[in-house]
Amino acid sequence: MDTSSQRHVVVIGAGIAGMEASAQLQGLGYAVTLLEEQPQTGGNLLTWDRLFPFKRPASEVLGELRSRLGGIHVLTSRRILNIEKLNAQFILTVNDGTVLTADAVLVATGFKPFDAYRKEEYGYGIYDNVFTSVDIERMFREERRILTRSGEVPRRVGFIHCVGSRDEKAGNRYCSKVCCVTAVKQASELKEMYPDCEVFCFYMDLRMFDRHYEQMYLDAQTRYGVTFVRGRLSEAAETIDKRIAIKVEDTLVGKPMKMTVDMLVLMVGMEGRTTQLYNSPTLGLSVGKDRFLNAVDEYTDNNLSRTEGVFLAGTCTGPKHIPEVLADAGAAALRIHRYLCQKA
Amino acid sequence: MFRERFSYAPFVWPFVIGLIFFLCFFVAAIVRVFKELPQSDKIKFGKSLFTKQTLVSIKEIFMECLLHRRIFQRDPLLGFMHMSIAFGWFMIIVLGHIEVKLYCPNHLNLPYFPIFFRYFVKQTDSTLGGAIFFFLMDFFLLMVLIGIGIAIYKRINSRIVGMRRTTRLKIYDWLALYSLWSIFPLRLLAESFTSSISGGSFLTRGFGLLFDSFVSNSVHVVPTWWAYSTALGVFFIAMPFSRYMHILTEPFLILLRNAGIRTVRHGQGYALTETFACSRCGICLDPCQMVLPGRMDKKATVYFISNLRYNHMETAREMAEMCMQCGRCVAACPVGIDSCRLKLSVKTDNQMGQGDTYLQYLNPASDALPAEIQPVVRQMPEKPDVVYFAGCMSHLTPAIPRAMQTLFKAAGIRYRYLDENGSVCCGRPLMLAGQEEAARQLIAKNTELIVKSGAQTLVTSCPICYRVFTEEYKLPIRVVHHTVFIRDLIAAGKLSTEPVQERVTYHDPCDLGRGSGIYEAPREILKDMAVLQRAYEEKDQALCCGGSLGSNLMPYETRRKIAADAFNRLTFRNPDVLVTACPLCKKTFQDVADRPVLDIAQYVATHLRAQKADAAPVEETPYRAAV
């Protein structure tokens, strides 16, 4: 195809949404530039070890998505300094001095994990043995095993659900969707690794919403012996031997309980990223109270922003799991295709 | 040369009826208040009379009720407005009586006589004495008129007197307000029309001559005196039902307050006096963060007191539950009404006698758990120098107790951490919930624990606990908040800090600042460590963080709005760090902050100078705030 007549789409963010959408757009015959702030593509998936529901290695999924990027202009370690619009074209200035022109822009900036320091009462960053779900994945990925800060095998581990999700005090009322099933996955993996370790999950509700999840939950209880307690952590304190004393109310029994665990794992939720891009007048993005982006219509036009030529995909519009993100990215590519065809 | 023309005219009746009605009401109210005072307060009041305290009270009455010193401090023009009306009117009354005494010494001094003196007595303004009196009367009348002029303009544009908002008034207030506005212009008219007969000075004489040039003054004399008397009568009748009841209640309140009397129960005794002493001036509206940015305009203290006064108890109760008890309105109130205490009394009343399930919760639930998962208890020194009480809120901000432990170790202080394993409470939540008996038991238990430790000092990290320990406990040992404790350690050379190249702003927590008067200790610490930048609103004007435990009803969204607004106002000079001294303030601000928010203990612990080799090793206290 003649490149001079080829329409050009810039995709912002090379997480799984950006990668998938880029591949689809290229398949539809467009020239695609994929911009990424980080040194490599992959986004949050880079930080994960294995993925629910089948514990498939994240690297495999990532490898598959990356293999589809052939022919796509991938620019990593790039930040967008400025976006202007001239007639129907977007002009993007990148921090290496490159100027890109685009007929359409896809925003796929994704999410960031909730900053657990903000729940100071849980002691993250203060007590040695408080970790987040992201830390656990890193340990699985890099060290292949889970140890306390002093390098011992934990004998009792507590998983705290909904850290920074469904939490009015943290300013996040929404459910992050994936943390419940992630906790079930990580708790099972831990039991698989250390069958003698006691593992407790403290949850508000268990939202096993998708296919296979309920089976994972059942397996966690019957095959792995994870104990699920319905109740929210009220206080955590460090004991002299650097374990964590926690206070929880078991709301099914209706009694407060105290417990000391060797490790406390906080299941951090997803948060909107509110990058500088969100303030760009050219993009004209509408940021919701929950810091996720608002689409024009959340029923029928979930990939359309309020600005013509600017499209949305992935978790920048709300928490999603991988299959949802990929479906959303494909849909966004088709919406861009329709838009560019109508304009031609 | 003076001559009494009349000693009675029918137009005095509206005034006389109004005055009698008002005086009956006022006397009955005072009798009621005294009856309702607890016996101990009656004795206190009796003892306070004819002492040095009385002189202090009289001075305060003069400064506040007449000159309105506190309002002057707030806004000079607003102060001038209040002063010119109150002081001017007062002087007219005083001079009027002196005139009667001087010129008609034998006259049976009926109350209306000085008021309508100019009508009754023809006097010369050509003698020096007469001229001075006429001049003074005109001068103070002019003063009142200027005050009224400002008051009228204030209703149109309140910003001129530094108020963003003014109070929405009740029907009786409007009646009294309009009659008050009309009293003095009518007096001016009446005296001007009478000036060719009875004399006058620069104002009345001048207006008299002016009117004479186009109206026949004599026709207007009696009607204007009627109008003047009627305005006075209407004002007096409306007064007991309106905000103007404060005029005479405030001096009485000052006498009671200076005798050491405080609110016991709303609607009775001192509380009733406070309710009537509220002038609904609306000065508490602007400081209230529920009004701005909370957008709960009707929840301000002025309306709470108004609801109490007109006995709308349901509304008053809801407002008391909504209020965060930060005390900014108390600090701003020119009458000195302790509305926080009033609100607490309403809340206590609401919850009196609900079950005492709280103490059951205190029983350690971990009894049932196997011993091996019981927390390991730290070995505590036998004879500590200090008992440390972190408080329940500090347990939610573990960085604070951790920093305190670092500081204790660095200063070589033997301490016992009283509530390390939680579940000891200072008693404040029980008191707020109106469970006084349960609170009493808890206080007795804690006192025993603290005394038994043998320590000479109790250090607490929570301003709420600090206030409860100092106000509700009778501890035989020194009680300090950690701000003061750290300041003293640094002063004694037991702790030394590194200079920090940072700009720091300090936020005064409500209970530490307005509640306990501790403003300087944290500033002394910070001034020596870093560049201390003043906040625009600080010390007794300090903002509420929005996280207050005082409110049971405040929605989180409003709290966040208040917190974000307060944070923006606090950081307007763009400091690198916001330092505070309350776990709750720290926690609340952290959620809305774009830069670190630290407790002062954390700040000092992070920037300790490296100790000598033989000193105890210093534990690292890392911090990171949400960005």
Side-chain angles (χ1 to χ4, degrees):
Chain A
M1 196 180 279
D2 178 17
T3 45
S4 61
S5 67
Q6 216 179 7
R7 303 294 193 104
H8 184 212
V9 182
V10 169
V11 178
I12 304 169
I16 55 173
M19 288 197 285
E20 174 68 4
S22 301
Q24 299 283 7
L25 283 163
Q26 206 213 15
L28 290 164
Y30 297 99
V32 181
T33 303
L34 178 55
L35 287 176
E36 171 58 44
E37 208 173 24
Q38 298 299 320
Q40 49 177 326
T41 55
N44 284 298
L45 200 57
L46 286 168
T47 63
W48 236 245
D49 181 45
R50 288 187 287 175
L51 305 170
F52 58 77
F54 304 128
K55 297 179 189 162
R56 186 170 177 202
S59 55
E60 265 183 51
V61 174
L62 199 56
E64 171 60 31
L65 291 173
R66 277 175 177 164
S67 73
R68 300 177 188 173
L69 293 180
I72 289 163
H73 195 41
V74 182
L75 296 174
T76 54
S77 300
R78 307 296 159 93
R79 264 186 313 114
I80 296 166
L81 297 179
N82 192 32
I83 304 180
E84 300 282 336
K85 199 172 184 185
L86 191 65
N87 304 324
Q89 287 220 309
F90 294 92
I91 300 160
L92 296 88
T93 315
V94 185
N95 63 336
D96 61 355
T98 323
V99 177
L100 302 167
T101 52
D103 298 293
V105 171
L106 176 64
V107 177
T109 46
F111 72 96
K112 62 175 184 201
F114 176 78
D115 184 354
Y117 289 96
R118 272 167 54 194
K119 294 295 281 183
E120 190 182 332
E121 60 267 46
Y122 295 169
Y124 185 69
I126 297 168
Y127 304 144
D128 282 356
N129 285 309
V130 180
F131 302 89
T132 64
S133 43
V134 182
D135 296 333
I136 295 295
E137 288 296 329
R138 186 186 44 74
M139 285 189 223
F140 274 129
R141 206 178 63 245
E142 293 173 3
E143 297 154 26
R144 312 296 339 162
R145 56 193 190 151
I146 305 293
L147 296 176
T148 65
R149 187 60 57 90
S150 54
E152 286 163 47
V153 170
R155 286 161 299 154
R156 182 183 290 125
V157 178
F159 284 84
I160 308 298
H161 289 229
C162 300
V163 176
S165 303
R166 303 178 70 196
D167 183 346
E168 198 158 4
K169 283 188 184 174
N172 296 341
R173 273 196 186 157
Y174 54 87
C175 165
S176 294
K177 267 187 179 175
V178 297
C179 346
C180 276
V181 61
T182 302
V184 169
K185 179 194 80 106
Q186 292 185 346
S188 306
E189 286 171 320
L190 200 65
K191 282 295 272 187
E192 208 172 19
M193 187 176 281
Y194 307 125
D196 294 335
C197 176
E198 289 178 89
V199 177
F200 295 86
C201 284
F202 299 97
Y203 67 94
M204 285 206 281
D205 294 295
L206 276 167
R207 302 196 160 177
M208 298 292 124
F209 62 96
D210 216 342
R211 207 178 154 200
H212 312 299
Y213 296 180
E214 198 63 33
Q215 186 60 45
M216 286 175 69
Y217 176 37
L218 191 66
D219 287 347
Q221 294 171 86
T222 54
R223 250 175 78 191
Y224 300 112
V226 177
T227 308
F228 288 85
V229 179
R230 197 185 81 176
R232 233 181 164 174
L233 178 64
S234 67
E235 245 178 77
E238 191 173 59
T239 63
I240 194 164
D241 51 355
K242 303 283 180 190
R243 298 163 82 206
I244 309 295
I246 55 173
K247 283 192 210 163
V248 186
E249 186 183 352
D250 184 336
T251 54
L252 291 179
V253 186
K255 274 186 184 162
M257 60 188 285
K258 275 185 181 175
M259 180 186 280
T260 310
V261 294
D262 298 327
M263 292 176 85
L264 194 65
V265 183
L266 309 178
M267 304 307 299
V268 289
M270 292 187 182
E271 273 200 329
R273 279 172 53 89
T274 57
T275 60
Q276 283 202 324
L277 220 54
Y278 284 21
N279 301 324
S280 156
T282 314
L283 291 183
L285 299 173
S286 152
V287 185
K289 266 188 180 171
D290 55 6
R291 285 154 293 164
F292 288 107
L293 294 177
N294 294 326
V296 146
D297 185 313
E298 299 202 2
Y299 293 82
T300 57
D301 294 309
N302 212 9
N303 298 107
L304 297 194
S305 81
R306 294 181 187 186
T307 312
E308 199 177 303
V310 178
F311 297 83
L312 313 169
T315 50
C316 63
T317 53
K320 292 176 185 65
H321 60 57
I322 292 169
E324 280 178 318
V325 170
L326 297 186
D328 195 49
L334 282 175
R335 290 310 290 255
I336 294 171
H337 178 54
R338 189 158 107 196
Y339 164 75
L340 292 175
C341 287
Q342 278 170 355
K343 245 182 45 169
Chain B
M1 292 296 290
F2 60 90
R3 164 173 77 80
E4 190 173 329
R5 297 165 66 223
F6 315 98
S7 60
Y8 164 76
F11 64 67
V12 302
W13 279 109
F15 164 75
V16 172
I17 291 168
L19 185 70
I20 289 172
F21 174 79
F22 169 73
L23 284 178
C24 289
F25 185 91
F26 187 63
V27 170
I30 287 192
V31 170
R32 179 181 159 192
V33 165
F34 266 105
K35 266 189 163 172
E36 286 170 355
L37 283 182
Q39 193 58 34
S40 58
D41 281 353
K42 282 181 196 157
I43 295 167
K44 264 189 207 165
F45 184 73
K47 279 185 181 164
S48 79
L49 290 177
F50 309 112
T51 58
K52 223 172 86 185
Q53 197 57 55
T54 321
L55 291 176
V56 174
S57 298
I58 289 172
K59 186 183 163 207
E60 190 181 339
I61 290 170
F62 185 76
M63 295 302 287
E64 299 305 337
C65 305
L66 294 175
L67 300 188
H68 292 89
R69 184 181 54 99
R70 284 195 208 116
I71 304 182
F72 257 107
Q73 285 169 351
R74 190 154 198 96
D75 184 278
L77 188 62
L78 189 63
F80 177 76
M81 181 195 107
H82 283 93
M83 183 205 74
S84 49
I85 299 176
F87 186 64
W89 195 356
F90 175 75
M91 288 309 290
I92 288 174
I93 296 170
V94 170
L95 288 170
H97 281 85
I98 294 173
E99 257 185 326
V100 173
K101 280 277 171 290
L102 275 179
Y103 295 116
C104 317
N106 302 321
H107 194 278
L108 171 66
N109 195 352
L110 285 167
Y112 63 78
F113 199 71
I115 309 297
F116 306 105
F117 189 72
R118 291 277 177 271
Y119 181 80
F120 295 136
V121 178
K122 173 177 162 46
Q123 189 193 336
T124 179
D125 48 21
S126 54
T127 66
L128 182 63
I132 288 175
F133 265 112
F134 273 108
F135 172 78
L136 286 177
M137 292 300 266
D138 272 18
F139 175 78
F140 286 113
L141 182 59
L142 180 65
M143 192 170 169
V144 178
L145 285 170
I146 292 171
I148 300 270
I150 301 171
I152 293 171
Y153 188 68
K154 178 185 144 214
R155 285 277 143 200
I156 306 164
N157 176 14
S158 63
R159 285 185 188 251
I160 194 176
V161 291
M163 290 171 75
R164 262 193 296 225
R165 287 180 177 70
T166 53
T167 326
R168 265 179 299 243
L169 298 182
K170 302 251 171 206
I171 180 84
Y172 276 110
D173 292 332
W174 284 115
L175 195 62
L177 183 73
Y178 286 138
S179 51
L180 179 68
W181 283 356
S182 53
I183 287 170
F184 295 93
L186 286 171
R187 182 182 170 116
L188 175 67
L189 283 181
E191 290 192 349
S192 299
F193 287 134
T194 320
S195 65
S196 57
I197 306 162
S198 307
S201 187
F202 66 97
L203 196 65
T204 42
R205 177 74 85 184
F207 271 100
L209 291 171
L210 179 71
F211 293 144
D212 206 22
S213 62
F214 59 91
V215 291
S216 54
N217 284 356
S218 54
V219 179
H220 296 93
V221 170
V222 176
T224 47
W225 283 105
W226 263 103
Y228 172 52
S229 172
T230 310
L232 276 168
V234 170
F235 180 70
F236 279 128
I237 288 175
M239 206 164 148
F241 312 104
S242 76
R243 62 194 193 134
Y244 295 96
M245 195 60 197
H246 81 273
I247 297 173
L248 284 181
T249 316
E250 191 184 343
F252 182 57
L253 182 78
I254 290 172
L255 287 174
L256 291 179
R257 184 168 59 222
N258 288 349
I261 297 169
R262 296 288 180 272
T263 288
V264 179
R265 194 172 181 283
H266 65 89
Q268 285 182 359
Y270 186 79
L272 186 72
T273 318
E274 281 196 318
T275 324
F276 275 84
C278 173
S279 63
R280 265 172 260 159
C281 62
I283 286 177
C284 57
L285 284 166
D286 286 343
C288 183
Q289 290 166 267
M290 290 198 290
V291 175
L292 201 76
R295 302 235 167 255
M296 298 183 175
D297 295 34
K298 288 182 183 160
K299 299 283 187 264
T301 298
V302 54
Y303 301 119
F304 163 75
I305 296 180
S306 162
N307 277 311
L308 269 190
R309 169 141 175 217
Y310 298 109
N311 215 21
H312 303 147
M313 283 317 290
E314 271 317 302
T315 322
R317 211 157 272 160
E318 198 194 310
M319 292 169 83
E321 298 281 0
M322 186 64 83
C323 169
M324 300 194 292
Q325 307 263 338
C326 69
R328 275 167 66 81
C329 54
V330 180
C333 181
V335 186
I337 296 171
D338 188 353
S339 49
C340 279
R341 207 179 156 107
L342 269 180
K343 285 174 187 167
L344 202 56
S345 132
V346 170
K347 285 169 79 170
T348 309
D349 183 51
N350 194 23
Q351 303 186 348
M352 197 77 85
Q354 287 183 2
D356 57 345
T357 49
Y358 193 86
L359 281 185
Q360 292 159 19
Y361 166 76
L362 280 177
N363 294 332
S366 55
D367 284 354
L369 292 176
E372 56 102 13
I373 58 170
Q374 288 285 333
V376 181
V377 179
R378 201 180 296 274
Q379 276 297 313
M380 288 297 176
E382 273 303 298
K383 273 202 157 182
D385 307 320
V386 161
V387 194
Y388 176 58
F389 190 90
C392 62
M393 285 311 303
S394 307
H395 283 293
L396 297 182
T397 51
I400 299 177
R402 170 153 297 209
M404 282 309 291
Q405 288 175 280
T406 307
L407 295 180
F408 285 136
K409 279 180 203 149
I413 284 166
R414 288 176 303 166
Y415 68 99
R416 181 174 293 176
Y417 188 169
L418 200 65
D419 56 341
E420 180 166 22
N421 295 312
S423 278
V424 187
C425 170
C426 67
R428 173 80 170 169
L430 287 172
M431 285 178 242
L432 278 177
Q435 300 194 13
E436 282 163 14
E437 175 55 25
R440 204 187 52 73
Q441 286 176 23
L442 188 67
I443 287 173
K445 177 78 185 155
N446 281 343
T447 307
E448 189 196 318
L449 276 174
I450 293 164
V451 172
K452 223 168 60 184
S453 74
Q456 283 309 301
T457 309
L458 171 69
V459 180
T460 169
S461 282
C462 172
I464 302 170
C465 299
Y466 171 71
R467 219 177 144 187
V468 173
F469 280 129
T470 47
E471 289 174 10
E472 308 289 337
Y473 285 59
K474 290 179 181 65
L475 290 170
I477 62 172
R478 182 170 174 240
V479 179
V480 284
H481 184 259
H482 72 231
T483 41
V484 175
F485 188 72
I486 295 169
R487 194 259 323 258
D488 293 351
L489 285 181
I490 294 174
K494 289 188 177 172
L495 286 180
S496 67
T497 54
E498 288 171 336
V500 191
Q501 299 299 322
E502 267 179 346
R503 289 162 301 163
V504 177
T505 293
Y506 176 74
H507 164 69
D508 291 282
C510 303
D511 274 303
L512 196 67
R514 277 185 293 270
S516 310
I518 297 176
Y519 296 116
E520 293 311 323
R523 290 184 167 80
E524 285 168 29
I525 299 171
L526 293 172
K527 241 182 345 210
D528 289 345
M529 290 179 70
V531 181
L532 182 62
Q533 292 185 319
R534 288 185 54 183
Y536 182 66
E537 280 134 325
E538 63 169 13
K539 301 192 177 171
D540 66 337
Q541 306 290 314
L543 296 160
C544 171
C545 68
S548 164
L549 298 177
S551 172
N552 295 335
L553 296 182
M554 179 70 71
Y556 274 112
E557 272 172 16
T558 315
R559 281 177 184 274
R560 282 184 78 83
K561 229 191 272 173
I562 289 172
D565 173 73
F567 187 81
N568 286 340
R569 281 151 82 175
L570 275 164
T571 53
F572 85 110
R573 284 187 213 271
N574 197 22
D576 300 307
V577 186
L578 182 71
V579 174
T580 184
C582 167
L584 192 50
C585 295
K586 170 178 141 77
K587 201 161 163 37
T588 311
F589 281 139
Q590 267 176 350
D591 279 347
V592 295
D594 58 356
R595 65 198 81 201
V597 180
L598 299 173
D599 188 272
I600 193 153
Q602 261 180 298
Y603 198 69
V604 174
T606 321
H607 299 295
L608 276 183
R609 195 185 291 278
Q611 298 291 300
K612 279 169 258 151
D614 55 347
V618 179
E619 215 169 305
E620 278 297 305
T621 309
Y623 71 77
R624 208 194 110 183
V627 172

